[in-house]
Short mmCIF file of all heavy atoms in Angstrom, two decimals:
data_model
loop_
_atom_site.label_atom_id
_atom_site.label_comp_id
_atom_site.label_asym_id
_atom_site.label_seq_id
_atom_site.Cartn_x
_atom_site.Cartn_y
_atom_site.Cartn_z
N THR A 730 -95.29 -44.98 -7.18
CA THR A 730 -95.02 -45.17 -8.62
C THR A 730 -93.54 -45.24 -8.98
O THR A 730 -93.19 -45.80 -10.01
CB THR A 730 -95.67 -44.03 -9.42
OG1 THR A 730 -95.14 -42.78 -8.96
CG2 THR A 730 -97.18 -44.02 -9.23
N ILE A 731 -92.67 -44.66 -8.16
CA ILE A 731 -91.25 -44.59 -8.50
C ILE A 731 -90.44 -45.34 -7.44
O ILE A 731 -90.58 -45.08 -6.24
CB ILE A 731 -90.77 -43.12 -8.58
CG1 ILE A 731 -91.63 -42.34 -9.56
CG2 ILE A 731 -89.31 -43.06 -8.98
CD1 ILE A 731 -91.57 -42.83 -10.98
N ASN A 732 -89.61 -46.29 -7.89
CA ASN A 732 -88.78 -47.01 -6.93
C ASN A 732 -87.45 -46.30 -6.76
O ASN A 732 -87.07 -45.40 -7.51
CB ASN A 732 -88.56 -48.47 -7.38
CG ASN A 732 -87.97 -48.55 -8.79
OD1 ASN A 732 -87.03 -47.83 -9.12
ND2 ASN A 732 -88.55 -49.43 -9.62
N ASN A 733 -86.71 -46.73 -5.77
CA ASN A 733 -85.46 -46.06 -5.43
C ASN A 733 -84.41 -46.21 -6.51
O ASN A 733 -83.61 -45.30 -6.75
CB ASN A 733 -84.92 -46.62 -4.11
CG ASN A 733 -85.84 -46.26 -2.94
OD1 ASN A 733 -86.55 -45.28 -3.00
ND2 ASN A 733 -85.83 -47.09 -1.89
N ASP A 734 -84.38 -47.37 -7.16
CA ASP A 734 -83.36 -47.58 -8.20
C ASP A 734 -83.52 -46.58 -9.34
O ASP A 734 -82.53 -46.06 -9.86
CB ASP A 734 -83.45 -49.02 -8.73
CG ASP A 734 -83.12 -50.04 -7.66
OD1 ASP A 734 -82.38 -49.68 -6.71
OD2 ASP A 734 -83.60 -51.18 -7.76
N ALA A 735 -84.76 -46.33 -9.73
CA ALA A 735 -85.00 -45.37 -10.82
C ALA A 735 -84.57 -43.97 -10.42
O ALA A 735 -83.97 -43.23 -11.19
CB ALA A 735 -86.47 -45.38 -11.23
N LEU A 736 -84.88 -43.58 -9.17
CA LEU A 736 -84.49 -42.26 -8.71
C LEU A 736 -82.99 -42.11 -8.62
O LEU A 736 -82.42 -41.08 -8.98
CB LEU A 736 -85.13 -41.97 -7.35
CG LEU A 736 -86.61 -41.58 -7.37
CD1 LEU A 736 -87.12 -41.44 -5.94
CD2 LEU A 736 -86.83 -40.30 -8.14
N ASN A 737 -82.32 -43.14 -8.14
CA ASN A 737 -80.87 -43.06 -8.01
C ASN A 737 -80.19 -43.00 -9.36
O ASN A 737 -79.10 -42.45 -9.49
CB ASN A 737 -80.35 -44.26 -7.21
CG ASN A 737 -80.82 -44.21 -5.75
OD1 ASN A 737 -81.04 -43.14 -5.21
ND2 ASN A 737 -80.99 -45.38 -5.14
N LEU A 738 -80.83 -43.58 -10.39
CA LEU A 738 -80.21 -43.60 -11.72
C LEU A 738 -80.22 -42.21 -12.36
O LEU A 738 -79.20 -41.70 -12.77
CB LEU A 738 -80.94 -44.61 -12.61
CG LEU A 738 -80.37 -44.79 -14.01
CD1 LEU A 738 -78.94 -45.33 -13.94
CD2 LEU A 738 -81.25 -45.71 -14.84
N ASN A 739 -81.38 -41.59 -12.44
CA ASN A 739 -81.50 -40.24 -13.02
C ASN A 739 -82.78 -39.60 -12.49
O ASN A 739 -83.83 -39.67 -13.12
CB ASN A 739 -81.52 -40.33 -14.55
CG ASN A 739 -81.34 -38.96 -15.20
OD1 ASN A 739 -81.39 -37.94 -14.52
ND2 ASN A 739 -81.11 -38.94 -16.49
N ALA A 740 -82.69 -39.03 -11.31
CA ALA A 740 -83.89 -38.55 -10.62
C ALA A 740 -84.59 -37.45 -11.40
O ALA A 740 -85.82 -37.47 -11.56
CB ALA A 740 -83.51 -38.06 -9.23
N ILE A 741 -83.84 -36.48 -11.92
CA ILE A 741 -84.46 -35.36 -12.61
C ILE A 741 -85.24 -35.82 -13.84
O ILE A 741 -86.38 -35.40 -14.08
CB ILE A 741 -83.39 -34.31 -13.00
CG1 ILE A 741 -82.96 -33.51 -11.76
CG2 ILE A 741 -83.90 -33.36 -14.08
CD1 ILE A 741 -84.03 -32.58 -11.23
N GLU A 742 -84.65 -36.69 -14.63
CA GLU A 742 -85.32 -37.16 -15.84
C GLU A 742 -86.55 -38.00 -15.50
O GLU A 742 -87.59 -37.89 -16.17
CB GLU A 742 -84.34 -37.97 -16.70
CG GLU A 742 -84.88 -38.39 -18.05
CD GLU A 742 -85.23 -37.21 -18.94
OE1 GLU A 742 -84.64 -36.13 -18.75
OE2 GLU A 742 -86.10 -37.38 -19.81
N VAL A 743 -86.46 -38.82 -14.48
CA VAL A 743 -87.61 -39.63 -14.06
C VAL A 743 -88.75 -38.72 -13.61
O VAL A 743 -89.92 -38.94 -13.95
CB VAL A 743 -87.20 -40.61 -12.94
CG1 VAL A 743 -88.43 -41.28 -12.35
CG2 VAL A 743 -86.23 -41.64 -13.46
N ILE A 744 -88.44 -37.70 -12.83
CA ILE A 744 -89.47 -36.77 -12.37
C ILE A 744 -90.09 -36.01 -13.54
O ILE A 744 -91.31 -35.83 -13.62
CB ILE A 744 -88.87 -35.80 -11.33
CG1 ILE A 744 -88.49 -36.55 -10.06
CG2 ILE A 744 -89.84 -34.67 -11.02
CD1 ILE A 744 -87.73 -35.71 -9.06
N ARG A 745 -89.26 -35.54 -14.46
CA ARG A 745 -89.77 -34.75 -15.59
C ARG A 745 -90.70 -35.56 -16.48
O ARG A 745 -91.72 -35.04 -16.96
CB ARG A 745 -88.60 -34.23 -16.43
CG ARG A 745 -88.99 -33.23 -17.50
CD ARG A 745 -87.79 -32.81 -18.32
NE ARG A 745 -87.33 -33.88 -19.17
CZ ARG A 745 -87.83 -34.12 -20.40
NH1 ARG A 745 -88.78 -33.35 -20.89
NH2 ARG A 745 -87.36 -35.10 -21.13
N THR A 746 -90.37 -36.82 -16.71
CA THR A 746 -91.14 -37.62 -17.67
C THR A 746 -92.28 -38.40 -17.04
O THR A 746 -93.19 -38.84 -17.76
CB THR A 746 -90.21 -38.60 -18.38
OG1 THR A 746 -89.53 -39.41 -17.40
CG2 THR A 746 -89.18 -37.86 -19.21
N ASN A 747 -92.27 -38.60 -15.72
CA ASN A 747 -93.26 -39.49 -15.12
C ASN A 747 -94.16 -38.85 -14.06
O ASN A 747 -95.23 -39.39 -13.78
CB ASN A 747 -92.56 -40.69 -14.46
CG ASN A 747 -91.87 -41.57 -15.48
OD1 ASN A 747 -92.50 -42.40 -16.14
ND2 ASN A 747 -90.56 -41.39 -15.63
N MET A 748 -93.77 -37.73 -13.51
CA MET A 748 -94.48 -37.27 -12.33
C MET A 748 -95.10 -35.88 -12.44
O MET A 748 -96.08 -35.60 -11.75
CB MET A 748 -93.52 -37.28 -11.11
CG MET A 748 -92.85 -38.61 -10.88
SD MET A 748 -92.34 -38.80 -9.19
CE MET A 748 -93.92 -38.74 -8.36
N LEU A 749 -94.57 -35.01 -13.24
CA LEU A 749 -95.08 -33.64 -13.30
C LEU A 749 -96.16 -33.51 -14.37
O LEU A 749 -95.91 -33.79 -15.55
CB LEU A 749 -93.95 -32.66 -13.58
CG LEU A 749 -92.84 -32.59 -12.54
CD1 LEU A 749 -91.76 -31.62 -12.96
CD2 LEU A 749 -93.39 -32.21 -11.18
N SER A 750 -97.34 -33.09 -13.97
CA SER A 750 -98.43 -32.90 -14.92
C SER A 750 -98.57 -31.42 -15.26
O SER A 750 -99.62 -30.80 -15.05
CB SER A 750 -99.74 -33.45 -14.33
OG SER A 750 -99.99 -32.87 -13.07
N VAL A 751 -97.47 -30.85 -15.75
CA VAL A 751 -97.42 -29.44 -16.16
C VAL A 751 -96.99 -29.41 -17.62
O VAL A 751 -96.13 -30.20 -18.04
CB VAL A 751 -96.46 -28.63 -15.28
CG1 VAL A 751 -96.44 -27.17 -15.70
CG2 VAL A 751 -96.86 -28.74 -13.81
N GLY A 752 -97.57 -28.51 -18.37
CA GLY A 752 -97.33 -28.51 -19.81
C GLY A 752 -95.91 -28.19 -20.22
O GLY A 752 -95.36 -28.83 -21.11
N GLU A 753 -95.28 -27.21 -19.59
CA GLU A 753 -93.97 -26.74 -20.03
C GLU A 753 -92.95 -26.95 -18.93
O GLU A 753 -93.02 -26.31 -17.87
CB GLU A 753 -94.04 -25.25 -20.41
CG GLU A 753 -92.77 -24.70 -21.03
CD GLU A 753 -92.90 -23.27 -21.45
OE1 GLU A 753 -94.05 -22.78 -21.56
OE2 GLU A 753 -91.85 -22.61 -21.66
N VAL A 754 -92.01 -27.87 -19.16
CA VAL A 754 -90.94 -28.18 -18.20
C VAL A 754 -89.63 -28.28 -18.96
O VAL A 754 -89.56 -28.94 -20.00
CB VAL A 754 -91.21 -29.50 -17.45
CG1 VAL A 754 -90.10 -29.78 -16.44
CG2 VAL A 754 -92.56 -29.46 -16.75
N SER A 755 -88.59 -27.63 -18.47
CA SER A 755 -87.28 -27.68 -19.12
C SER A 755 -86.20 -27.88 -18.07
O SER A 755 -86.40 -27.60 -16.88
CB SER A 755 -87.01 -26.40 -19.92
OG SER A 755 -87.06 -25.27 -19.07
N LYS A 756 -85.04 -28.36 -18.53
CA LYS A 756 -83.90 -28.61 -17.65
C LYS A 756 -82.82 -27.57 -17.89
O LYS A 756 -82.67 -27.06 -19.00
CB LYS A 756 -83.33 -30.01 -17.89
CG LYS A 756 -84.27 -31.14 -17.53
CD LYS A 756 -83.58 -32.49 -17.58
CE LYS A 756 -83.15 -32.86 -18.97
NZ LYS A 756 -82.56 -34.21 -19.03
N SER A 757 -82.06 -27.28 -16.83
CA SER A 757 -80.97 -26.33 -16.95
C SER A 757 -79.93 -26.61 -15.88
O SER A 757 -80.25 -27.10 -14.79
CB SER A 757 -81.50 -24.89 -16.80
OG SER A 757 -80.44 -23.96 -16.86
N THR A 758 -78.68 -26.30 -16.22
CA THR A 758 -77.58 -26.43 -15.27
C THR A 758 -77.00 -25.08 -14.87
O THR A 758 -76.18 -25.01 -13.97
CB THR A 758 -76.46 -27.30 -15.88
OG1 THR A 758 -75.97 -26.66 -17.07
CG2 THR A 758 -76.96 -28.69 -16.23
N SER A 759 -77.43 -24.02 -15.54
CA SER A 759 -76.90 -22.68 -15.29
C SER A 759 -77.65 -22.01 -14.13
O SER A 759 -78.90 -21.93 -14.14
CB SER A 759 -77.01 -21.81 -16.54
OG SER A 759 -76.70 -20.46 -16.26
N ILE A 760 -76.91 -21.53 -13.16
CA ILE A 760 -77.54 -20.85 -12.03
C ILE A 760 -78.19 -19.55 -12.47
O ILE A 760 -79.30 -19.22 -12.05
CB ILE A 760 -76.49 -20.60 -10.92
CG1 ILE A 760 -76.09 -21.93 -10.28
CG2 ILE A 760 -77.04 -19.65 -9.86
CD1 ILE A 760 -75.07 -21.80 -9.18
N GLN A 761 -77.53 -18.78 -13.34
CA GLN A 761 -78.09 -17.52 -13.80
C GLN A 761 -79.39 -17.74 -14.56
O GLN A 761 -80.35 -16.98 -14.41
CB GLN A 761 -77.08 -16.78 -14.68
CG GLN A 761 -77.52 -15.37 -15.08
CD GLN A 761 -77.74 -14.47 -13.88
OE1 GLN A 761 -76.90 -14.38 -13.00
NE2 GLN A 761 -78.90 -13.81 -13.84
N LYS A 762 -79.46 -18.81 -15.34
CA LYS A 762 -80.66 -19.08 -16.13
C LYS A 762 -81.84 -19.46 -15.23
O LYS A 762 -82.96 -19.01 -15.44
CB LYS A 762 -80.39 -20.19 -17.15
CG LYS A 762 -81.55 -20.45 -18.10
CD LYS A 762 -81.18 -21.46 -19.15
CE LYS A 762 -82.30 -21.65 -20.15
NZ LYS A 762 -83.56 -22.11 -19.52
N ILE A 763 -81.59 -20.29 -14.22
CA ILE A 763 -82.70 -20.68 -13.36
C ILE A 763 -83.15 -19.51 -12.48
O ILE A 763 -84.33 -19.40 -12.15
CB ILE A 763 -82.33 -21.91 -12.49
CG1 ILE A 763 -81.21 -21.57 -11.50
CG2 ILE A 763 -81.95 -23.10 -13.36
CD1 ILE A 763 -80.93 -22.67 -10.52
N ILE A 764 -82.23 -18.61 -12.12
CA ILE A 764 -82.63 -17.42 -11.37
C ILE A 764 -83.52 -16.53 -12.22
O ILE A 764 -84.56 -16.02 -11.77
CB ILE A 764 -81.39 -16.65 -10.87
CG1 ILE A 764 -80.65 -17.45 -9.80
CG2 ILE A 764 -81.78 -15.29 -10.33
CD1 ILE A 764 -81.43 -17.68 -8.54
N ASP A 765 -83.13 -16.33 -13.49
CA ASP A 765 -83.97 -15.53 -14.40
C ASP A 765 -85.34 -16.17 -14.58
O ASP A 765 -86.36 -15.46 -14.64
CB ASP A 765 -83.27 -15.38 -15.74
CG ASP A 765 -82.01 -14.51 -15.65
OD1 ASP A 765 -81.88 -13.78 -14.65
OD2 ASP A 765 -81.16 -14.60 -16.56
N SER A 766 -85.38 -17.49 -14.68
CA SER A 766 -86.66 -18.19 -14.83
C SER A 766 -87.52 -18.02 -13.60
O SER A 766 -88.74 -17.80 -13.69
CB SER A 766 -86.41 -19.68 -15.11
OG SER A 766 -85.67 -19.86 -16.30
N CYS A 767 -86.91 -18.10 -12.43
CA CYS A 767 -87.67 -17.92 -11.18
C CYS A 767 -88.23 -16.52 -11.09
O CYS A 767 -89.38 -16.33 -10.69
CB CYS A 767 -86.76 -18.23 -9.99
SG CYS A 767 -87.58 -18.10 -8.39
N LEU A 768 -87.45 -15.52 -11.48
CA LEU A 768 -87.93 -14.14 -11.44
C LEU A 768 -89.01 -13.86 -12.48
O LEU A 768 -89.71 -12.86 -12.39
CB LEU A 768 -86.75 -13.18 -11.65
CG LEU A 768 -85.70 -13.17 -10.54
CD1 LEU A 768 -84.52 -12.30 -10.94
CD2 LEU A 768 -86.30 -12.68 -9.23
N SER A 769 -89.15 -14.75 -13.46
CA SER A 769 -90.20 -14.61 -14.48
C SER A 769 -91.46 -15.36 -14.11
O SER A 769 -92.42 -15.36 -14.88
CB SER A 769 -89.68 -15.12 -15.84
OG SER A 769 -88.57 -14.35 -16.26
N GLY A 770 -91.48 -16.01 -12.95
CA GLY A 770 -92.68 -16.69 -12.50
C GLY A 770 -92.64 -18.19 -12.59
O GLY A 770 -93.65 -18.86 -12.28
N GLU A 771 -91.52 -18.78 -12.98
CA GLU A 771 -91.42 -20.24 -13.06
C GLU A 771 -91.00 -20.80 -11.70
O GLU A 771 -90.42 -20.12 -10.86
CB GLU A 771 -90.41 -20.65 -14.14
CG GLU A 771 -90.80 -20.19 -15.53
CD GLU A 771 -89.84 -20.69 -16.59
OE1 GLU A 771 -89.13 -21.68 -16.33
OE2 GLU A 771 -89.81 -20.09 -17.68
#
């Protein structure tokens, strides 16, 4: 479903909008925030 050009352009956004069938998905650039999210079960 996903070609290489789309992934090379903006892989994270393409994955979030086209491939994940999960209700709640968010983006983050902070290492501390993603660690806290992982420890909360995400």
